[in-house]
Amino acid sequence: MNEAGRPKRRRISSARIYNESIGARSGTSADLAVLGALDEAMQLRGMPGVENRSFLVRAVDYLARQGVGQFLDIGVGLPAWGNVYQVARRHRPDAAVACVDHDLEVVAAWREIAAEHEPMRSVYADVRRPREILEHPEVRAVIDFDRPVGLLLTAVLHLVGVEHDQRKIVRTLTDALPSGSHLVLSHVSDQRQPAEAFERVRRIVESAGSAFTVTSPGQVAEMFGGLELVEPGLVMVEDWRPVRATRRSAGWYIGGVGRKP
Ligand SMILES: C[S@@+](CC[C@H](N)C(=O)[O-])C[C@H]1O[C@@H](n2cnc3c(N)ncnc32)[C@H](O)[C@@H]1O
């Protein structure tokens, strides 16, 4: 924190880089330099961030129409378009949202919004310690774990190092949820991209201070263990119940929605 009590802007931030990649202006020149290097390394046909974010919007819309009225959004990212509380409240004006992130700048941004959009909380916590999230008093202030929860883990677990067991993290979280809860998960997957592209990206992301873990579709499927995959199952995010056909797809994120029986 700086002397004004606001979080210091780190030189490079994965949240700001992602936000820039989906067209929400927030990056420093250092963030933009990393984004430029990533674009070059990925040799993109489409826009992976936009495809991921659009998947998140369609999945939350689906959950809210299924009657899910509370959302635990871990690795929430900076406010942008398609924010969970706005999408969910189209169908559930009373929807409760707990926004969780390990970046103080993100938490501060959501704290201001949460204060004006009850029931909502902004929580500083780390997905690598899922029990702390489940037990966090600010999460418990708005999420009732006896009623169905929409758990969001979109574009966050690839930023967790291989030394952390991603499947166990997801299992710990979903085990705490009651029947009728849903998991929305997206992950960078090696289904459509050559290994060299991922290697180039990994080097850039790691030099910017974050881990970068690419996972096979089979490993992502295992993260949905014990859940029933909603149609169309685990697919490239742009193919999950698209509103219109995607002409150019980046093919970076795989994702799906699972329902707890
Ligand atoms: C790529 S953004 C994804 C934003 C949003 N979930 C979406 O799908 O549009 C990743 C976010 O995860 C956060 N993050 C990365 N590692 C994390 C961790 N270990 N615990 C909590 N949040 C994390 C970053 O700070 C960033 O805000």
Side-chain angles (χ1 to χ4, degrees):
M1 295 273 178
N2 64 20
E3 56 287 354
R6 295 183 71 83
K8 265 196 223 145
R9 275 163 78 84
R10 279 186 288 122
R11 209 174 78 78
I12 297 172
S13 145
S14 67
R16 290 199 298 260
I17 292 169
Y18 176 79
N19 236 26
E20 283 284 343
S21 83
I22 63 171
R25 300 281 159 248
S26 57
T28 61
S29 53
D31 297 323
L32 294 179
V34 176
L35 183 59
L38 284 173
D39 281 348
E40 205 169 307
M42 294 198 263
Q43 295 167 351
L44 292 172
R45 292 179 69 242
M47 301 178 77
V50 172
E51 289 161 14
N52 173 69
R53 188 71 172 199
S54 304
F55 160 71
L56 164 76
V57 168
R58 296 193 300 278
V60 171
D61 186 86
Y62 169 82
L63 262 55
R65 282 188 285 109
Q66 298 305 304
V68 175
Q70 35 178 11
F71 296 83
L72 176 55
D73 187 359
I74 304 178
V76 57
L78 285 162
W81 53 270
N83 299 306
V84 169
Y85 79 100
Q86 290 164 321
V87 178
R89 288 180 188 176
R90 286 184 210 149
H91 305 289
R92 292 287 309 249
D94 59 339
V97 185
C99 303
V100 178
D101 210 284
H102 77 156
D103 180 331
L104 281 170
E105 184 180 341
V106 173
V107 176
W110 280 109
R111 201 157 274 160
E112 283 185 22
I113 295 171
E116 293 181 0
H117 294 86
E118 282 283 344
M120 194 171 176
R121 290 291 187 280
S122 181
V123 178
Y124 176 66
D126 195 312
V127 73
R128 291 169 292 189
R129 293 192 292 280
R131 284 191 197 288
E132 287 178 20
I133 296 175
L134 294 168
E135 286 159 17
H136 200 292
E138 290 289 294
V139 170
R140 298 225 157 228
V142 287
I143 305 290
D144 173 358
F145 285 94
D146 291 327
R147 290 192 297 120
V149 176
L151 169 64
L152 305 175
L153 288 168
T154 58
V156 59
L157 288 175
H158 68 284
L159 300 172
V160 166
V162 278
E163 67 279 19
H164 301 280
D165 184 343
Q166 299 170 335
R167 201 173 49 169
K168 193 167 159 207
I169 290 173
V170 178
R171 194 67 196 220
T172 302
L173 291 165
T174 54
D175 276 355
L177 306 181
S179 163
S181 295
H182 289 72
L183 166 68
V184 179
L185 185 145
S186 62
H187 205 297
V188 173
S189 173
D190 59 9
Q191 195 172 14
R192 293 239 185 108
Q193 298 294 331
E196 312 85 72
F198 284 123
E199 189 47 32
R200 288 195 295 271
V201 171
R202 190 184 59 72
R203 279 201 297 268
I204 296 167
V205 175
E206 286 185 357
S207 68
S210 176
F212 183 76
T213 309
V214 180
T215 305
S216 71
Q219 288 168 311
V220 179
E222 285 175 11
M223 295 182 199
F224 284 93
L227 306 182
E228 296 162 349
L229 274 171
V230 167
E231 283 295 321
L234 184 60
V235 291
M236 299 313 293
V237 287
E238 52 275 26
D239 298 328
W240 198 89
R241 299 181 180 228
V243 176
R244 61 185 80 81
T246 320
R247 271 179 300 155
R248 288 159 65 83
S249 144
W252 275 83
Y253 288 100
I254 192 169
V257 175
R259 181 184 182 281
K260 189 157 178 182

